[in-house]
Amino acid sequence: MFINKKILLTSFLAYILLTSCQTGQLSAPEVYYNSTAKHELEQEYLLKKKQNPHIIHDRYILSYILYKNNKAHQALAEIKKIILEQPFNAKYLTLAGQIEFDLKNYPSAIQRFSAAIQYNKTLLNAYYGLALSHYRTGDLGKSSKINNMTLLIDPTYFKAKLLKIKLQSLTDNSTKNYLTLLKNTSLLLKEQPTSTEVIKLMVKLYLNQGQVENAYIALNNFIRKNGDNDQLNHLICSIGLTYGNLAKAGQIVNKLPENSLMRWQCEIETLVASNKFERAYQLFLAKKDLFELNLETRIKEARLLMLIDHHNEALSKLEVIYFDNHQKNPLLNYQLAEIYFRLKNYDSAHNYIQKSISIDHNNLAAKLLNIKILLKLNLIERAEKIFYTENFAPLNHTIIEVQADIFFAKKDYTKAKKFYGICQYLLFQSSVAIKIAQLELIEQNYTKALGILNNLSVLQPDNREIIISLAKFNYILGNFGKTIKVLNRLSDPTINNETGLILGLSYIQVGQEKLGLQFLLSTANNFHQDITLIDSLTYNLAIQKRYEEAIPYLENIISIAPQRANYLNQRLADLYTIIEKNENKKITAKWRYLFR
């Protein structure tokens, strides 16, 4: 008699599923998934569901398969329906928690895992998932407590032992503790010599102590024993980019497989680190088909759009995602904060960065951006307190730059220049060089300030940040002709609210009022909420006696600038009075008074 082996395997594994133990080291769906062609398996269980939608265990396996096939949203929708039918099943709740966790919906994951534990006090995956979720939200105390409970149930549970070391590394930065943690991590690596998670933790411990070379050695030893690993090559690339070794990052990019997603991620990151934003975006578009169309990819695209000054397009993409049930995603909130920061909308930036930090307290970049935003809001003492309370250590170039920003905000320019200099030594960055030039300008060393920017412009002629800064400096110094010449190097100066404003005003200053107003109007159409821009536009429209055109712009910003409502309403009233009286006299002097 002929026996279909696939049917026999299905029956056997279904039996395992029904009788599986609840300790959660390797669940039945995992066994089944790992033993079968993944996409064929998905089709098989979609058909099973269609034929008999009432068999919950088949639907549970389908949920797991969808989840593992990177269809997390579909998987979550399916497991939620199952939970509605069987709300007290710890196994189903745990899978829902795992999916919510991977979608970075940490509060929802916490609810699912907590419910699972309520119905099964020995389910290790649920305990570990709950501990890890609290870890991601920054509640290290709860995370540690629950993780210790996991280890009480099973002291050999590898993931919990790994998390324990991570938690200890965040609560004690002392050298003694670091040595103990490094020893314990080495023991874990002996236990599982092929674990990429352990070697990544070891590397992080080295980097936390500023031992970059030891981090490289540990990674290279691991790769030599276990073979090349795209994840770890990507990590080496990231270390190179973080610590200024662009050559190292470039070597890794060339080692990665030609059409691998990891290769193009590294290539894009390297271009970004080199301030080649336009090339990075074009490469992303060329290789977009390799990227999975998920939340992370959509955020990555918006970030690249931001870097090439397409802020409105980036915002529109992110806001669609945000209101599509992703308000609790920390990375999405962070990216929205970064764009609003660049647009100088610091209140909105602060709102989003607070949400990001409340969801994921361990994100260093979010903490540093929060400090930068507070400095712009003139909350200097608060920013300084957070910086020193967090005890950022060791000091890499990013952290040192923020420390210099604090000194800059406090007008301690001597210390600011010193720390920007240290930052430049660690990693050449045009943004830091521009800040040094700003300090020279403040100290009235005009020739030196322009010299720094001109040298930067020779080294990086296509760097938008340098072009914009060089134009701003020339504008401040009254070199309006040079300002126009520099800004015309940009493909579209009006795509940035600052450049459009400066270019328009520069043309007006050199006597080309019509062209200047044209640039101001073009920029205002893209940035109609920029109060400084609208101020300048309406002033210059009034000078040209184009009163009716100025009124709508003023009326619009009055609603979004309540702190300046009296001032703006007075200007609006003056315009209406001029129109009604049909006054032909010059109003320049009066408007200059209003602009005091």
Side-chain angles (χ1 to χ4, degrees):
M1 183 177 70
F2 174 75
I3 297 175
N4 188 317
K5 291 182 180 179
K6 189 171 183 180
I7 293 173
L8 186 62
L9 177 64
T10 303
S11 302
F12 173 67
L13 289 165
Y15 170 76
I16 293 175
L17 176 62
L18 289 166
T19 59
S20 62
C21 71
Q22 295 292 302
T23 54
Q25 291 286 12
L26 188 64
S27 68
E30 286 174 307
V31 174
Y32 195 17
Y33 182 80
N34 292 337
S35 67
T36 317
K38 298 166 178 50
H39 294 288
E40 286 180 16
L41 191 61
E42 181 183 324
Q43 293 305 313
E44 179 184 337
Y45 270 83
L46 283 168
L47 181 61
K48 282 189 175 193
K49 179 191 171 185
K50 187 176 179 181
Q51 290 171 341
N52 195 337
H54 302 297
I55 300 179
I56 287 182
H57 288 295
D58 283 351
R59 287 162 55 199
Y60 167 54
I61 294 177
L62 173 62
S63 301
Y64 182 86
I65 293 164
L66 289 168
Y67 166 52
K68 295 299 286 185
N69 280 354
N70 296 316
K71 296 178 180 178
H73 290 288
Q74 283 179 251
L76 186 59
E78 188 65 45
I79 198 69
K80 278 182 176 180
K81 291 174 189 174
I82 295 170
I83 290 169
L84 284 174
E85 296 174 45
Q86 292 199 9
F88 309 120
N89 188 300
K91 184 168 56 178
Y92 303 157
L93 288 162
T94 300
L95 178 57
Q98 289 169 340
I99 299 169
E100 295 275 22
F101 180 88
D102 280 9
L103 290 172
K104 296 183 170 60
N105 299 331
Y106 302 127
S108 299
I110 287 169
Q111 289 178 1
R112 299 293 187 188
F113 288 130
S114 298
I117 290 168
Q118 185 180 348
Y119 302 123
N120 187 328
K121 303 293 185 188
T122 62
L123 194 59
L124 284 177
N125 278 351
Y127 275 102
Y128 173 72
L130 183 58
L132 196 59
S133 298
H134 281 301
Y135 170 78
R136 289 292 172 84
T137 60
D139 195 336
L140 303 184
K142 275 189 183 176
S143 179
S144 183
K145 182 180 177 182
I146 294 161
N147 196 55
N148 288 337
M149 290 167 69
T150 313
L151 289 168
L152 279 174
I153 297 168
D154 182 0
T156 68
Y157 194 58
F158 185 80
K159 290 179 181 178
K161 289 195 287 185
L162 187 64
L163 180 57
K164 185 174 183 178
I165 296 173
K166 288 180 181 178
L167 287 163
Q168 289 173 337
S169 71
L170 291 170
T171 53
D172 186 351
N173 286 323
S174 67
T175 304
K176 184 179 179 182
N177 183 55
Y178 150 73
L179 292 170
T180 303
L181 295 179
L182 197 58
K183 179 182 176 182
N184 291 340
T185 307
S186 299
L187 292 173
L188 280 184
L189 195 58
K190 285 181 181 178
E191 189 177 332
Q192 287 200 14
T194 61
S195 171
T196 55
E197 288 303 310
V198 176
I199 191 62
K200 280 156 71 175
L201 175 58
M202 182 177 284
V203 166
K204 187 176 180 181
L205 289 171
Y206 277 127
L207 293 177
N208 282 348
Q209 296 296 313
Q211 299 185 21
V212 181
E213 197 55 42
N214 283 342
Y216 279 132
I217 291 168
L219 277 168
N220 289 328
N221 287 340
F222 184 90
I223 289 170
R224 190 171 63 252
K225 291 176 183 175
N226 297 295
D228 255 354
N229 179 311
D230 284 356
Q231 271 191 43
L232 296 183
N233 278 326
H234 185 240
L235 179 58
I236 293 173
C237 178
S238 297
I239 295 169
L241 296 177
T242 303
Y243 291 92
N245 195 337
L246 295 182
K248 173 77 77 174
Q251 288 170 7
I252 294 301
V253 168
N254 294 329
K255 282 180 64 179
L256 294 167
E258 180 69 28
N259 284 319
S260 73
L261 174 60
M262 204 70 74
R263 179 190 178 104
W264 300 117
Q265 284 178 327
C266 283
E267 180 78 20
I268 289 166
E269 288 166 17
T270 304
L271 288 169
V272 168
S274 305
N275 295 307
K276 297 173 181 175
F277 304 135
E278 190 66 46
R279 281 178 60 187
Y281 180 61
Q282 292 304 321
L283 180 60
F284 172 82
L285 291 179
K287 301 297 178 181
K288 196 173 179 180
D289 290 344
L290 291 174
F291 289 82
E292 183 193 343
L293 188 59
N294 57 17
L295 181 63
E296 187 177 341
T297 301
R298 293 164 78 184
I299 293 171
K300 191 188 295 289
E301 182 177 14
R303 174 171 170 72
L304 290 169
L305 282 166
M306 175 196 77
L307 291 172
I308 59 173
D309 286 335
H310 289 251
H311 297 107
N312 290 333
E313 190 179 348
L315 270 182
S316 64
K317 285 181 179 291
L318 290 182
E319 283 170 350
V320 167
I321 304 169
Y322 189 80
F323 292 109
D324 187 24
N325 201 31
H326 289 293
Q327 292 94 329
K328 294 178 180 177
N329 184 283
L331 182 59
L332 179 55
N333 279 287
Y334 170 80
Q335 197 55 70
L336 282 163
E338 190 176 18
I339 294 173
Y340 277 114
F341 179 78
R342 287 168 68 97
L343 286 171
K344 297 182 170 56
N345 186 338
Y346 302 123
D347 289 322
S348 293
H350 187 247
N351 176 45
Y352 283 113
I353 205 65
Q354 288 300 307
K355 288 180 183 177
S356 180
I357 292 170
S358 69
I359 299 164
D360 183 3
H361 188 69
N362 298 319
N363 188 329
L364 175 64
K367 291 177 183 179
L368 294 174
L369 179 56
N370 182 40
I371 292 169
K372 289 182 178 182
I373 293 167
L374 290 172
L375 292 175
K376 293 296 183 181
L377 290 169
N378 207 31
L379 299 170
I380 300 169
E381 287 184 10
R382 187 170 159 193
E384 189 174 23
K385 183 179 178 182
I386 291 172
F387 182 85
Y388 291 109
T389 302
E390 285 286 350
N391 189 26
F392 294 108
L395 299 178
N396 64 24
H397 72 277
T398 309
I399 297 167
I400 292 171
E401 183 178 354
V402 171
Q403 192 171 21
D405 288 343
I406 292 170
F407 287 124
F408 194 121
K410 291 171 69 178
K411 299 184 179 178
D412 188 341
Y413 300 133
T414 303
K415 284 186 179 176
K417 191 183 286 187
K418 175 186 173 184
F419 279 88
Y420 284 136
I422 295 169
C423 186
Q424 277 287 87
Y425 175 75
L426 291 173
L427 174 64
F428 176 80
Q429 243 182 347
S430 57
S431 61
V432 176
I434 289 166
K435 287 175 180 177
I436 293 171
Q438 286 174 338
L439 286 169
E440 297 293 354
L441 190 66
I442 288 167
E443 294 172 352
Q444 299 183 357
N445 299 325
Y446 304 131
T447 304
K448 197 169 184 180
L450 277 175
I452 291 170
L453 289 177
N454 283 320
N455 289 337
L456 285 172
S457 186
V458 171
L459 291 171
Q460 299 182 27
D462 299 323
N463 186 317
R464 290 182 63 84
E465 189 179 21
I466 294 169
I467 292 170
I468 292 167
S469 295
L470 186 57
K472 282 166 68 176
F473 275 42
N474 276 299
Y475 180 81
I476 290 166
L477 296 172
N479 303 329
F480 304 117
K482 284 186 179 179
T483 303
I484 292 167
K485 186 177 179 181
V486 171
L487 285 176
N488 280 327
R489 285 161 56 185
L490 299 173
S491 57
D492 182 5
T494 63
I495 206 167
N496 181 295
N497 53 336
E498 276 190 307
T499 53
L501 172 63
I502 293 169
L503 185 60
L505 292 177
S506 294
Y507 273 115
I508 290 168
Q509 290 288 344
V510 297
Q512 298 187 50
E513 290 86 359
K514 188 176 179 180
L515 188 56
L517 274 171
Q518 183 182 319
F519 278 111
L520 290 178
L521 284 164
S522 176
T523 310
N525 289 333
N526 290 325
F527 302 95
H528 53 273
Q529 293 189 342
D530 186 322
I531 296 168
T532 305
L533 172 62
I534 302 304
D535 253 2
S536 296
L537 172 63
T538 52
Y539 170 73
N540 283 286
L541 283 170
I543 295 297
Q544 298 299 314
K545 300 181 183 178
R546 293 163 65 174
Y547 311 126
E548 289 87 350
E549 288 180 67
I551 286 172
Y553 289 102
L554 274 175
E555 287 177 335
N556 179 58
I557 59 169
I558 285 170
S559 62
I560 61 170
Q563 72 278 14
R564 301 184 70 185
N566 291 337
Y567 159 73
L568 295 170
N569 274 313
Q570 180 60 53
R571 287 181 49 197
L572 192 60
D574 288 341
L575 278 181
Y576 277 119
T577 302
I578 291 166
I579 292 167
E580 286 169 11
K581 290 183 177 180
N582 196 23
E583 292 183 354
N584 293 317
K585 64 184 179 181
K586 290 185 179 180
I587 60 163
T588 306
K590 185 173 185 178
W591 275 63
R592 279 180 182 160
Y593 168 74
L594 290 169
F595 267 84
R596 69 194 186 281

